[in-house]
């Protein structure tokens, strides 16, 4: 069965410091992977997605993620944290289950706090 | 920019009452979803809908839940007799296609509070 784990339910970084949010997936077939961000009291916004092209994916707001098949990981990074990055981050996997359908499964989320 | 819209943004209801949450997906999208997020918890898949029928549903989506797309525009989630544990944020999502085109676009959510 496909699944997503996110190590660390809560991460705190100082403003200007590196952000690293971890995501590992379990899938028997090549997955498509996503990172979504949720700001307080808002919906889910796509940050970036991996669709089997380049393994290093750049997204919005300076975020990027690298797909590592050998480690089954898709960690999210940003070189320099900004106060506005404080939010909940969800890693998600989309796996083809049938010929006409695939499902998106979300990880448990990581809450990012940025300390001034 | 096209977006998924949901109404109401917040609904308070008494236990046992019926609730209908409404969604207008992006107009050319073909796949529609409902997800649920209980406060402070993960985003959980409820149901997917394609070609006017349910494609898949989770174990959460029991007989109290139903979905329909009555007019080719709206996509609704009905909870027949709400329970306290149905209190959550409900997100509607749509996608144009599958696989590489499989980015989900989410609405802002409908917060349901069951008293």
């Amino acid at each position: 069965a496909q699944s997503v784990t996110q190590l660390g339910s809560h991460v705190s970084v100082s403003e200007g410091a590196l952000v690293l949010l971890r995501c590992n997936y379990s899938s028997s077939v090549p997955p498509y992977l996503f990172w979504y961000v949720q700001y307080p009291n808002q919906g889910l916004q796509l940050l970036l997605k991996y669709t089997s092209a380049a393994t290093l994916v750049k997204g919005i707001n300076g975020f990027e993620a690298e797909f590592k098949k050998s480690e089954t990981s898709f960690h999210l990074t940003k070189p320099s944290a900004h106060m506005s990055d404080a939010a909940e981050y969800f890693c998600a996997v989309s796996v083809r289950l049938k010929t006409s359908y695939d499902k998106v499964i979300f990880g448990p989320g990581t809450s990012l706090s940025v300390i001034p | 920019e096209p977006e998924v819209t949901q109404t109401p943004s917040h609904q308070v209801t008494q236990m046992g009452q019926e609730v209908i949450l409404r969604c207008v997906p992006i107009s050319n999208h073909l796949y529609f979803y409902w997800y649920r997020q209980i406060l402070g918890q993960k985003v959980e898949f409820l149901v997917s809908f394609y070609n006017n029928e349910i494609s898949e549903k989770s174990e959460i989506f029991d007989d109290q839940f139903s979905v329909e797309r009555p007019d080719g525009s709206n996509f609704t989630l009905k909870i027949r007799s709400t329970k306290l544990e149905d209190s959550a944020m409900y997100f509607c999502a749509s996608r144009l296609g599958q696989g590489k085109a499989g980015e989900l676009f989410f609405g802002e959510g409908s917060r349901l509070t069951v008293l």
Side-chain angles (χ1 to χ4, degrees):
Chain A
Q2 293 73 33
S3 66
V4 179
T5 56
Q6 292 181 241
L7 184 62
S9 59
H10 190 98
V11 170
S12 267
V13 299
S14 297
E15 190 175 15
L18 171 71
V19 175
L20 171 61
L21 304 181
R22 299 178 188 275
C23 171
N24 288 87
Y25 68 91
S26 169
S27 174
S28 57
V29 296
Y32 298 127
L33 295 158
F34 308 86
W35 275 99
Y36 283 86
V37 61
Q38 184 180 33
Y39 297 103
N41 300 314
Q42 293 189 27
L44 294 153
Q45 180 184 5
L46 182 71
L47 272 180
L48 50 80
K49 61 182 178 181
Y50 166 74
T51 58
S52 74
T55 56
L56 182 62
V57 181
K58 294 187 184 300
I60 62 171
N61 302 337
F63 284 94
E64 61 182 39
E66 185 172 9
F67 172 70
K68 291 187 177 180
K69 185 178 178 181
S70 61
E71 299 177 7
T72 61
S73 69
F74 189 56
H75 302 331
L76 182 71
T77 60
K78 181 174 180 177
S80 176
H82 192 272
M83 296 299 293
S84 61
D85 294 327
E88 189 84 16
Y89 291 80
F90 293 94
C91 183
V93 62
S94 175
V95 180
R96 180 63 57 88
L97 298 176
K98 305 174 189 174
T99 56
S100 61
Y101 174 68
D102 50 1
K103 184 169 76 173
V104 176
I105 300 170
F106 285 81
T110 297
S111 177
L112 175 66
S113 299
V114 181
I115 305 165
Chain B
E1 184 176 322
E3 59 181 16
V4 176
T5 58
Q6 290 184 242
T7 54
S9 56
H10 190 190
Q11 181 158 356
V12 181
T13 190
Q14 294 291 324
M15 190 170 58
Q17 295 296 304
E18 176 182 284
V19 162
I20 298 176
L21 304 179
R22 291 182 168 79
C23 170
V24 179
I26 295 174
S27 61
N28 62 340
H29 283 190
L30 302 175
Y31 300 82
F32 313 109
Y33 304 80
W34 284 100
Y35 283 81
R36 180 181 82 175
Q37 185 182 32
I38 294 172
L39 185 63
Q41 297 186 26
K42 67 188 291 184
V43 179
E44 300 174 292
F45 169 79
L46 287 179
V47 66
S48 60
F49 194 87
Y50 170 70
N51 201 25
N52 287 319
E53 61 182 17
I54 291 175
S55 308
E56 186 171 345
K57 57 185 180 180
S58 72
E59 58 190 27
I60 302 169
F61 195 88
D62 60 23
D63 292 343
Q64 293 300 313
F65 290 87
S66 62
V67 290
E68 63 176 2
R69 190 162 156 78
D71 56 11
S73 156
N74 292 284
F75 178 52
T76 62
L77 174 69
K78 182 192 292 186
I79 308 174
R80 234 177 300 280
S81 176
T82 50
K83 303 187 284 287
L84 294 176
E85 54 265 38
D86 294 328
S87 294
M89 183 75 92
Y90 289 81
F91 290 104
C92 175
S94 69
R95 69 200 302 187
L96 174 62
Q98 308 166 76
K100 294 182 180 182
E103 173 189 341
L104 286 177
F105 289 82
F106 283 87
E108 291 290 306
S110 292
R111 182 173 298 284
L112 177 63
T113 302
V114 182
L115 302 176

